Structures are given as structure tokens and as C-alpha cells.
Amino acid sequence: MKKLLAQYGIKVSQEEITEYLETEPFIFPLEKKYFITRAGAFTDKIFSICPTRMEIEQQGFAAGDRCIPFVNFELLPNELKFEFMGQLLPEKIIEVDSNTARDLFTLYGDEYATQYIASDPVNKDLHIIENGCELQGPVKLTGVSIDEIMRLTGFSAGDRFLCRVKDWAEGIIEVFPFLNHNLSPLQQSSQKFAQGEWLESLESALLKSFDRIGPCTTMEEQLAKVFYENRKTLCVPDCASIHEFLHWTRAVRMQLFGVETRLWKRGEDIPAVGKWNEHMIENLPVQVKNDILLAPDFLIDCYLKDSLFEKKNDFSTIINKILPAAIDLTSSEKNYISLQIQNRSAIIRNQYNWFADFAFGSIRHRALELFTKVELLMNELDFDTSDVSSFPQTELIVLSQLYAHIFQMLETLSAETERVEEEELSAMELSVEGMEYKFEEIRLPLISAMNRVRSKRFAVI
């Protein structure tokens, strides 16, 4: 990898490469500093999809979240392609009720299900923002036709598809009909027993992962790690689907984790801190400082564009926005950031168009103001591991999620976009408004907890 980067004129140390590989979501770390890509991990691995009766009646099915975690998570469900006997299955629009539609996308997180449904080109006129992000009535989804499979094999309700990823990058999945109705009673009994063992294996593997690595950043990541580590027992022809598992299990459930959804132990709240992240939580201020020092170009660009949008051409004031006084940096660290700002400023000045930026400008301004407030609060939370239990757990979780969400939104807002759909702008504005409200909701409880922790550090002598 070092040689590959050198061909592009990029010089990096082995330590930097290792750090990148250990944090890159497309890569799984193995033992002894070996790594494997997601494509290498899941290509040719077996999983199953069980179409609903509603889909069978329409002779098609929609992918939804059913290919999680085996496919490229940057591809939208409607972009996945399915192949049968060497031929790609033709596209087909299916219609389901709103509850079924949400269920088909639940593994992305209930909070994101509607957005995934709205991202399907067939729903470009759905206008979910105007409806308060709620689905009403029947919903159309881009799926694939299985009428030829049904004609050739007699595939019907209760049957399933065994699937394997043929091309991970392109999202091509090969399907093999598994006709349960053709099995003899003895074969059906044997199949049911084998699937029961599979369900128990997945349940056990998930419970162990909760204790060892805690709640991952998404349910997709949690499942990816579990399936890869247990591929010999889980990626087998007798597998059931994850949706069937969630209906069967009594030990695992979906539940809220801050403002997001995670898989966790039934009957237990997800803790903000455990063995898996106590070091990270303890060093929240250090994380903020590192993020500022290693500020990506898009973050600096956002501050520069914001100044131009506000028609303030004095870029020297930007360093005070990026480096609030409450965050302690050395002179050399401040000089490093100043140099970054100067280098980006020359580029942004030449490219910036106030009229083209008008649509995004006010939303970016609000997002940057909120980002600064979140950074300052994270920097102010000065505690060690022993203090963590005295902080409100949900508020801690929400704070870290807000930080990540705004960071990601600013990356989107930094992109040059000539034409922006009104729906997209409304969605962003609604998102910023929701995050502002949530921040004000958690700010005072966290400050109060911090004040209590600090008061215990003083004694009358």
C-alpha cells in the first residue's frame, strides 16, 4: 500500500497506514497486522432473502435492507442488481403498504428508513418533508421481477432465495431459489432444525459482540463484524434471514441509542460507556483538539465560504472561529492551522460564487454555529473514567452523535453544487433545526453534571 500511494506522490509512514487501515470502515483488521477488505470478506458468502406474500403476489421483490451486511453499504438498495442463471433480473416496481415499506428498511435504523425510501427514484414526488417525514398510504419501491423464476421453478410464498455477492463493488448478487414446499416432511423437519441452530448461533454471536465491542456506529457495522467473525457457521445454506431472526429472538432487540437505533440485549439500556470505549470517552477534549489540528479541507472550506457568504473578507478572523479561546493550543499548533487557512483561502476566493452558494449559505451558517457550540461543550467535559457514571448517559451518547452528524453534514455542505432540489434544502434545514433543539435539550444536564464532578475535587482544609 505504501508503494501504491508513492506512485501518486503521496508519502506516508507505516504507522499512518496502519492507523488508516484500523479505522477505515471498508476494512476488517485481522491478527498480526493483516487486514481484509469488505469485498474480500463477503464476496461469495451465502445469505438468504425471504420475499413477503405481498411481493410474491406481484412477482417481484425489493432489496431494502435484506442484503445487509454483505453488500457495499454506499450503494442504495435500488442500485443493487440480482442475477439468476447468468442473467440480470429486470427491474420491476412493486407496491407495499407504508408499514411494510418501513420494515423493509429497518436495519438502516428506523430514523433513516423514510429517507432511504424517499431516495428511490420512483418516489421522487413523494415529498416526505411536507408530510413531516411520515409515510402515508401505499408506497412504491424499485425492485426486481421474479416472474421468470416463478414460471421455471414454481417459486411461491414460503420459499426463499439463497444469495451470494458476485461483484461487491457493483452490487451484483446471484440468487438461487430454495423451494421449501418441494421438500418432504422429513426434509422440512431437518431444515427447520438446521435453521433453529443457525438462529441460536447468530443470537449467541451477537450477545458476545455486545460485551466485547459494545454498540457499533450502525447496526450494519455490528452485523458485518459478527457475520465475518462467524462466517463458517452463519454463511451457510441453512441460514435464515436477519428479519426472521429478529422475529424469533427473545434476547436481542432494536432499541434507541441516543437519537439512533442499535441492536442490543433485550431488557437492558445501552450504556454510554463500557470496556469498548472508556478510553475514548475519557479523552473527549483530546478528540476535539485532534480533530481541530487535523481539520480536513472541507471543514476549513466551510468556514471560509461562510465568511464570504456573510460578505466578511477578513480571513484572519476565521482562525478564532476554528480555534475557540476555550480550546488550548500551542503557538506552533495555531501557526499550523493558520497556514492551512491561508492555503485554502486562495483557492476558495477564486472559486466562490455568492449567488450559486445562496441556497446552502444560511444552512451552512447555522450548522457551523451549532458545530462550534458542540465542540466547546465536548472540550469542557473534563472527566476521567471514574466520573463517567455520574453523567447522564443518554445525553453523553446524543452529544457524540450530534458531533458526528454535524461533521458529516458540513462535508456535504462544502461540496460545490450548482443546482439543489428544494426538497433537499428543506431536509437539511429540518435536520439542523432538530439538532439545535436536541443540543439545547442535553446542554444543561451535562453542564450540571460537570459542575457536580468539579465540586467534588475541592475540599475545605
Side-chain angles (χ1 to χ4, degrees):
M1 188 170 182
K2 192 173 181 180
K3 290 178 181 177
L4 177 67
L5 291 171
Q7 293 175 12
Y8 295 92
I10 303 171
K11 293 182 179 180
V12 292
S13 67
Q14 187 167 328
E15 289 74 20
E16 288 174 315
I17 290 177
T18 302
E19 183 180 353
Y20 164 75
L21 292 171
E22 288 175 342
T23 56
E24 170 57 50
F26 283 108
I27 295 169
F28 291 132
L30 306 177
E31 294 179 357
K32 298 180 181 178
K33 296 198 174 180
Y34 279 85
F35 299 84
I36 187 169
T37 64
R38 283 276 194 122
F42 289 133
T43 298
D44 290 332
K45 296 299 180 289
I46 297 173
F47 64 98
S48 74
I49 291 176
C50 189
T52 64
R53 184 173 293 276
M54 196 179 299
E55 289 173 309
I56 295 292
E57 289 172 356
Q58 297 177 67
Q59 299 186 348
F61 73 89
D65 61 14
R66 291 146 144 175
C67 299
I68 283 178
F70 298 91
V71 294
N72 181 351
F73 55 78
E74 288 194 341
L75 293 174
L76 292 171
N78 59 276
E79 295 173 330
L80 297 174
K81 306 173 187 71
F82 292 85
E83 184 180 283
F84 174 65
M85 295 179 67
Q87 300 294 318
L88 289 177
L89 296 176
E91 185 179 288
K92 185 169 190 175
I93 306 302
I94 66 167
E95 190 171 272
V96 296
D97 62 77
S98 56
N99 289 332
T100 301
R102 290 188 74 98
D103 287 344
L104 287 175
F105 292 84
T106 191
L107 289 174
Y108 289 107
D110 190 59
E111 62 278 9
Y112 298 117
T114 306
Q115 295 177 39
Y116 273 95
I117 293 168
S119 70
D120 191 322
V122 75
N123 292 321
K124 63 181 180 180
D125 298 323
L126 198 57
H127 304 303
I128 62 166
I129 300 301
E130 296 175 10
N131 296 326
C133 292
E134 290 297 323
L135 297 173
Q136 298 175 352
V139 174
K140 292 181 179 179
L141 297 171
T142 300
V144 292
S145 171
I146 59 170
D147 55 350
E148 185 68 7
I149 296 177
M150 295 176 72
R151 185 183 69 80
L152 291 173
T153 68
F155 191 94
S156 60
D159 295 336
R160 69 179 62 243
F161 290 112
L162 291 180
C163 309
R164 71 178 185 94
V165 176
K166 188 175 180 180
D167 188 321
W168 188 88
E170 295 297 321
I172 300 175
I173 300 129
E174 193 170 11
V175 299
F176 305 89
F178 185 89
L179 308 178
N180 190 65
H181 72 271
N182 277 358
L183 298 178
S184 68
L186 185 61
Q187 288 173 321
Q188 287 184 355
S189 178
S190 176
Q191 170 69 13
K192 190 174 182 180
F193 178 79
Q195 280 198 345
E197 288 190 323
W198 185 90
L199 293 166
E200 290 175 0
S201 296
L202 177 55
E203 184 179 72
S204 174
L206 275 169
L207 292 172
K208 287 176 182 176
S209 83
F210 298 151
D211 292 330
R212 185 169 54 85
I213 60 177
C216 294
T217 54
T218 61
M219 290 189 285
E220 192 274 348
E221 183 186 355
Q222 193 97 42
L223 290 166
K225 290 181 177 179
V226 165
F227 271 87
Y228 178 66
E229 291 172 0
N230 300 274
R231 58 196 178 281
K232 290 182 180 179
T233 55
L234 296 179
C235 299
V236 294
D238 292 319
C239 63
S241 69
I242 297 173
H243 280 263
E244 288 173 300
F245 166 76
L246 291 172
H247 281 109
W248 170 85
T249 181
R250 293 293 175 267
V252 177
R253 66 184 290 264
M254 291 183 185
Q255 64 185 60
L256 277 178
F257 180 62
V259 293
E260 299 175 350
T261 311
R262 295 289 189 274
L263 294 170
W264 198 250
K265 303 172 189 176
R266 184 179 292 271
E268 291 186 21
D269 291 330
I270 308 175
V273 182
K275 293 179 181 178
W276 56 87
N277 70 343
E278 57 190 11
H279 177 73
M280 182 185 71
I281 293 293
E282 181 182 344
N283 291 287
L284 271 178
V286 176
Q287 176 192 338
V288 174
K289 181 176 175 179
N290 287 342
D291 284 347
I292 291 172
L293 278 173
L294 302 173
D297 287 344
F298 76 78
L299 184 59
I300 293 173
D301 289 355
C302 278
Y303 280 107
L304 290 168
K305 288 180 181 179
D306 184 56
S307 288
L308 289 168
F309 179 76
E310 295 282 298
K311 298 187 176 178
K312 298 174 183 176
N313 293 321
D314 183 9
F315 285 132
S316 62
T317 60
I318 292 176
I319 193 169
N320 296 324
K321 294 180 180 179
I322 298 178
L323 306 175
I327 297 178
D328 184 32
L329 297 177
T330 65
S331 297
S332 61
E333 288 170 339
K334 288 182 180 179
N335 290 336
Y336 175 75
I337 298 292
S338 297
L339 186 60
Q340 275 187 291
I341 293 171
Q342 289 172 25
N343 292 337
R344 295 301 302 172
S345 127
I347 298 170
I348 296 299
R349 272 183 185 274
N350 293 331
Q351 296 178 344
Y352 184 77
N353 183 323
W354 190 88
F355 293 101
D357 189 46
F358 184 78
F360 273 155
S362 59
I363 298 174
R364 186 199 304 113
H365 185 74
R366 286 175 66 183
L368 282 170
E369 285 189 333
L370 180 59
F371 186 65
T372 301
K373 291 177 183 177
V374 171
E375 274 190 324
L376 284 170
L377 182 56
M378 290 179 72
N379 188 70
E380 192 177 350
L381 295 181
D382 174 27
F383 56 78
D384 54 38
T385 308
S386 60
D387 299 323
V388 171
S389 60
S390 61
F391 278 78
Q393 301 295 285
T394 299
E395 281 78 359
L396 270 181
I397 294 165
V398 172
L399 181 65
S400 65
Q401 290 173 346
L402 285 176
Y403 185 79
H405 288 179
I406 305 168
F407 204 74
Q408 187 176 21
M409 177 177 281
L410 289 173
E411 184 173 11
T412 302
L413 290 168
S414 72
E416 292 293 336
T417 308
E418 293 295 328
R419 188 171 178 272
V420 186
E421 296 292 337
E422 188 66 33
E423 185 97 356
E424 186 181 355
L425 281 174
S426 299
M428 284 190 173
E429 194 168 12
L430 195 65
S431 180
V432 172
E433 188 176 317
M435 288 191 287
E436 288 170 338
Y437 174 80
K438 205 67 188 177
F439 176 74
E440 290 304 319
E441 195 176 64
I442 65 169
R443 186 175 64 87
L444 287 178
L446 286 172
I447 290 174
S448 298
M450 187 68 253
N451 289 337
R452 287 194 298 272
V453 167
R454 285 176 177 159
S455 68
K456 293 177 183 176
R457 297 175 183 172
F458 293 87
V460 178
I461 55 174

